[in-house]
Amino acid sequence: MANDSYRVDLDRLDEVVKKLNNVLKDMQSTSGKAKSGTHLPEGSLGKGFEEEGELRKTHDELKGFIEQKVLNKLERLIDDLQKKTSKTHGAYQDQEQNTSNAMNKSHTSSQNKYS
């Protein structure tokens, strides 16, 4: 049938939205750990050697890169995908309801003609 080729499984789309929400929650947890759980305080690598400050500075730079360029971008990407998938789900659901209403209306009016 021709209409089967255009069929959208709304349950699957809903499942995708839920899974993306879970991934986003996990990402936010990971992001929080990266921000607060990776602090390298002064003296934690030892004291009295020249490279200690440079190591901490490099650590802070890498930490900032991971937070801004990796985790934040991934969170935004997943959030955007979740919103678009949710919007698509809603649009298909609305169209399915409109089609069903139109068919019921057409069916009812054709019954009235021939009654």
Side-chain angles (χ1 to χ4, degrees):
M1 277 190 170
N3 66 352
D4 286 341
S5 63
Y6 295 104
R7 190 155 184 84
V8 174
D9 188 342
L10 293 176
D11 291 335
R12 292 283 184 166
L13 272 176
D14 191 43
E15 187 178 321
V16 169
V17 170
K18 288 176 183 175
K19 285 183 179 184
L20 286 170
N21 278 332
N22 288 336
V23 169
L24 189 57
K25 285 178 191 173
D26 289 345
M27 284 296 303
Q28 289 168 343
S29 172
T30 301
S31 179
K33 287 176 186 174
K35 289 177 185 175
S36 63
T38 57
H39 178 67
L40 193 59
E42 188 173 343
S44 63
L45 299 173
K47 293 184 179 184
F49 67 100
E50 185 177 318
E51 295 84 2
E52 192 267 341
E54 186 179 339
L55 285 170
R56 279 189 307 105
K57 180 182 177 223
T58 303
H59 171 269
D60 290 343
E61 289 171 358
L62 186 55
K63 180 180 176 219
F65 175 82
I66 290 170
E67 289 172 9
Q68 298 301 314
K69 302 292 183 180
V70 179
L71 295 175
N72 286 349
K73 284 186 178 185
L74 275 173
E75 283 180 26
R76 286 194 310 268
L77 173 72
I78 293 167
D79 184 53
D80 184 51
L81 184 57
Q82 181 272 334
K83 287 176 182 172
K84 288 178 179 176
T85 305
S86 184
K87 186 176 179 180
T88 300
H89 176 274
Y92 275 114
Q93 195 171 33
D94 291 348
Q95 185 59 44
E96 191 174 87
Q97 185 64 44
N98 291 341
T99 302
S100 177
N101 290 343
M103 290 182 75
N104 287 338
K105 196 177 205 181
S106 173
H107 182 67
T108 304
S109 80
S110 67
Q111 279 183 339
N112 290 341
K113 276 185 181 177
Y114 300 110
S115 297

